[in-house]
């Protein structure tokens, strides 16, 4: 963790280099096999469909907990716990949802419009959302993970291996990919509802 | 305990709306008191220089004192019921003074998208509330809009309506086109979300 100015109201926090390049290669290879087998294009139309258009175009596959993925869950757990202890201090119970391997493709203008990860119910249980950048920034154009909490849009770091953690109530989006391919692991920690 | 003819309603996302929580006479009293405090142009915490692009509002602080004690008592009661029924947050109470806000059509009143969480120098804000003091017909534009990720929610404009939401919810007041909109803004403090 590099920035000592993090505060419970920080929009997001960063942990760089939580995974080595070789480990990132391994995650990517594993994810690519899953996507080749079972990827679906998540192209959801919002409740206000015709007004907002396609909210999301990504190829996703679920990275289920298994002997060969166990280490990824364990590592991510340690990173998120450490960041949470230092910054947000939310009550967390763990990852009750599987990790999602997501692929944004330039030829599909892959994107995900502004949203929050909490769902729209009061008793939402997602507490912290996580994004692991798997692609080198040279491999794609645009496809920027952005946050908005007023004043100005904040940009997530694009460096390969960056783990970006943010409260699940923060509005965020991924802008359309215009060239190449961006891959990421997306995960959510859950816990008792905010209090 | 005051009895109310209406019930708070969860209108979508984390937004709760409670209509007619004060009588017209009580609303007149709040408005007269606010106006007597001579609202001044608001500044934005932590920002210097011209912030007109972000916010043009006149505000007066309505401190806890013998004149306002009844209002604090009522809002405490309302907040506790809302919190019990919908949010279940840990709260300290009404630590900050109420903010009486005036959006004036002649001044181009507005307040751009923001969250209320606060910074490092105030107690964390947990629930934000807005009490509509003006009749909807008194002004054009100037909607309280909330964005919880499922499209923009436009708050009820009725006089005497109380709108509550967790302070992390992005919201704005859209530019006023004509007339004057007055409202009372309340923040409920508590330990940081956990």
């Amino acid at each position: 963790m590099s920035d000592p100015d993090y505060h419970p109201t920080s929009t997001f926090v960063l942990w760089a280099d939580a995974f080595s390049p070789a480990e990132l290669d391994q995650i990517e290879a594993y994810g690519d096999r899953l996507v080749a087998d079972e990827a679906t294009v998540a192209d959801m139309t919002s409740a206000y469909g015709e007004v907002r258009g396609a909210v999301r175009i990504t190829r996703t596959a679920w990275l289920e907990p298994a002997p060969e993925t166990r280490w990824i869950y364990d590592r991510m757990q340690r990173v998120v716990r450490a960041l949470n202890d230092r910054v947000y201090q939310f009550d967390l119970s763990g990852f009750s949802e599987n990790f999602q391997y997501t692929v944004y493709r330039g030829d599909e203008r892959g994107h995900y419009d502004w949203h929050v990860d909490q769902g729209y119910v009061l008793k939402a249980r997602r507490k912290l959302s996580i994004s692991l950048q798997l692609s080198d920034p040279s491999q794609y154009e645009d496809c920027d993970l952005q946050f908005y909490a007023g004043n100005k849009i904040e940009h997530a770091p694009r460096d390969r291996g960056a783990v970006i953690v943010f409260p699940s109530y923060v509005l965020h989006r991924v802008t359309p990919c215009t060239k190449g391919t961006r891959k990421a692991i997306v995960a959510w920690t859950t816990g008792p509802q905010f209090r | 305990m005051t009895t109310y003819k209406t019930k708070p309603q969860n209108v979508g996302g984390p937004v709760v709306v409670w209509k007619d929580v004060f009588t017209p006479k009580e609303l007149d009293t709040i408005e007269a008191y606010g106006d007597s405090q001579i609202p001044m142009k608001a500044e934005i915490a932590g920002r210097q220089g011209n912030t007109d692009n972000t916010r043009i509002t006149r505000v007066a602080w309505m401190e806890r004192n013998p004149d306002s004690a009844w209002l604090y008592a009522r809002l405490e009661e309302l907040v506790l019921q809302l919190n019990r029924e919908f949010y279940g947050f840990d709260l300290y109470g009404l630590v900050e003074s109420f903010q009486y806000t005036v959006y004036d059509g002649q001044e181009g009143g507005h307040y751009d998208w923001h969250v209320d969480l606060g910074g490092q120098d105030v107690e964390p804000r947990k629930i934000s509330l807005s009490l509509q003091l003006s009749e909807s017909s008194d002004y054009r534009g100037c909607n309280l809009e909330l964005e919880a990720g499922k499209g923009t929610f436009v708050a009820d404009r009725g006089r005497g309506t109380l709108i509550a939401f967790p302070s992390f919810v992005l919201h704005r007041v859209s530019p006023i086109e004509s007339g004057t909109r007055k409202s009372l803004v309340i923040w409920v403090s508590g330990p940081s979300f956990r």
Side-chain angles (χ1 to χ4, degrees):
Chain A
M1 201 170 94
S2 49
D3 188 340
D5 290 336
Y6 288 145
H7 182 265
T9 58
S10 295
T11 308
F12 70 88
V13 296
L14 164 70
W15 192 302
D17 306 321
F19 295 88
S20 71
E23 289 169 338
L24 295 166
D25 289 345
Q26 207 182 323
I27 298 170
E28 203 179 329
Y30 188 85
D32 285 346
R33 281 198 301 278
L34 288 178
V35 168
D37 289 347
E38 55 169 273
T40 53
V41 178
D43 181 355
M44 302 184 302
T45 309
S46 79
Y48 309 94
E50 64 285 9
V51 182
R52 297 191 113 196
V55 170
R56 180 182 195 187
I57 299 177
T58 56
R59 289 175 185 267
T60 61
W62 297 100
L63 206 76
E64 290 179 22
E68 63 271 33
T69 60
R70 183 64 201 242
W71 70 276
I72 308 172
Y73 278 80
D74 288 347
R75 180 80 55 82
M76 202 72 104
Q77 176 100 254
R78 284 208 298 280
V79 168
V80 174
R81 290 263 176 212
L83 284 172
N84 185 56
D85 285 350
R86 285 188 233 176
V87 185
Y88 295 113
Q89 300 179 358
F90 294 161
D91 290 338
L92 302 175
S93 43
F95 298 114
S96 55
E97 295 172 87
N98 292 343
F99 290 4
Q100 197 179 49
Y101 184 76
T102 70
V103 180
Y104 294 85
R105 286 168 38 166
D107 60 359
E108 294 174 346
R109 283 186 69 82
H111 67 276
Y112 197 166
D113 206 356
W114 290 114
H115 65 286
V116 295
D117 287 347
Q118 262 198 315
Y120 309 108
V121 292
L122 283 169
K123 315 273 181 207
R125 293 184 64 247
R126 283 182 181 173
K127 307 286 284 280
L128 285 173
S129 299
I130 300 132
S131 180
L132 164 62
Q133 301 277 24
L134 289 175
S135 300
D136 190 83
S138 64
Q139 292 177 317
Y140 61 97
E141 286 180 14
D142 301 307
C143 210
D144 206 27
L145 172 60
Q146 302 179 340
F147 304 94
Y148 191 61
N151 297 336
K152 60 181 191 307
I153 287 174
E154 296 175 62
H155 302 263
R158 295 163 73 92
D159 310 84
R160 188 170 196 232
V163 177
I164 298 125
V165 176
F166 54 98
S168 301
Y169 51 69
V170 172
L171 197 69
H172 60 284
R173 72 170 172 183
V174 176
T175 63
C177 191
T178 54
K179 201 173 180 185
T181 301
R182 172 178 172 263
K183 299 166 184 174
I185 292 284
V186 177
W188 308 271
T189 61
T190 44
Q193 70 169 117
F194 281 111
R195 64 187 183 98
Chain B
M1 283 284 285
T2 317
T3 46
Y4 299 96
K5 290 184 185 134
T6 52
K7 285 192 164 68
Q9 306 282 343
N10 177 206
V11 293
V15 184
V16 174
V17 168
W18 198 346
K19 293 183 181 180
D20 301 320
V21 289
F22 291 94
T23 65
K25 208 176 154 195
E26 288 168 334
L27 294 165
D28 290 345
T29 307
I30 299 168
E31 205 176 326
Y33 183 79
D35 287 340
S36 75
Q37 303 300 299
I38 311 173
M40 305 287 281
K41 196 168 171 188
E43 292 171 357
I44 299 173
R47 304 263 305 267
Q48 288 173 342
N50 191 313
T51 54
D52 284 359
N53 283 336
T54 306
R55 183 180 196 186
I56 300 177
T57 317
R58 275 180 288 130
V59 304
W61 296 100
M62 207 177 270
E63 292 169 13
R64 195 190 282 262
N65 61 34
D67 288 335
S68 65
W70 72 276
L71 186 56
Y72 275 80
R74 279 285 290 285
L75 276 158
E76 261 157 23
E77 197 180 281
L78 291 162
V79 164
L80 287 176
Q81 183 171 336
L82 282 172
N83 191 53
R84 200 165 47 238
E85 205 167 319
F86 297 98
Y87 298 117
F89 296 159
D90 292 336
L91 303 174
Y92 297 139
L94 305 176
V95 174
E96 292 186 77
S97 294
F98 299 163
Q99 193 184 56
Y100 180 76
T101 69
V102 180
Y103 293 88
D104 190 328
Q106 314 253 307
E107 290 176 353
H110 72 106
Y111 194 172
D112 206 358
W113 293 107
H114 64 285
V115 297
D116 287 348
L117 287 174
Q120 297 184 53
D121 46 358
V122 294
E123 296 287 359
R125 293 169 177 166
K126 307 289 287 284
I127 301 175
S128 299
L129 302 107
S130 178
L131 173 64
Q132 300 278 24
L133 293 174
S134 299
E135 295 287 358
S136 177
S137 56
D138 288 347
Y139 59 96
R140 293 181 58 188
C142 212
N143 284 311
L144 171 60
E145 300 179 351
L146 303 110
E147 175 65 68
K150 206 184 183 185
T152 304
F153 172 80
V154 180
D156 191 287
R157 293 162 61 99
R159 189 174 195 232
T161 296
L162 187 66
I163 300 119
F165 51 93
S167 301
F168 55 68
V169 172
L170 194 67
H171 60 284
R172 73 160 182 169
V173 176
S174 67
I176 191 163
E177 291 158 25
S178 63
T180 302
R181 172 177 173 262
K182 297 170 180 175
S183 67
L184 194 65
V185 175
I186 299 111
W187 301 287
V188 192
S189 309
S192 291
F193 282 109
R194 47 179 280 203

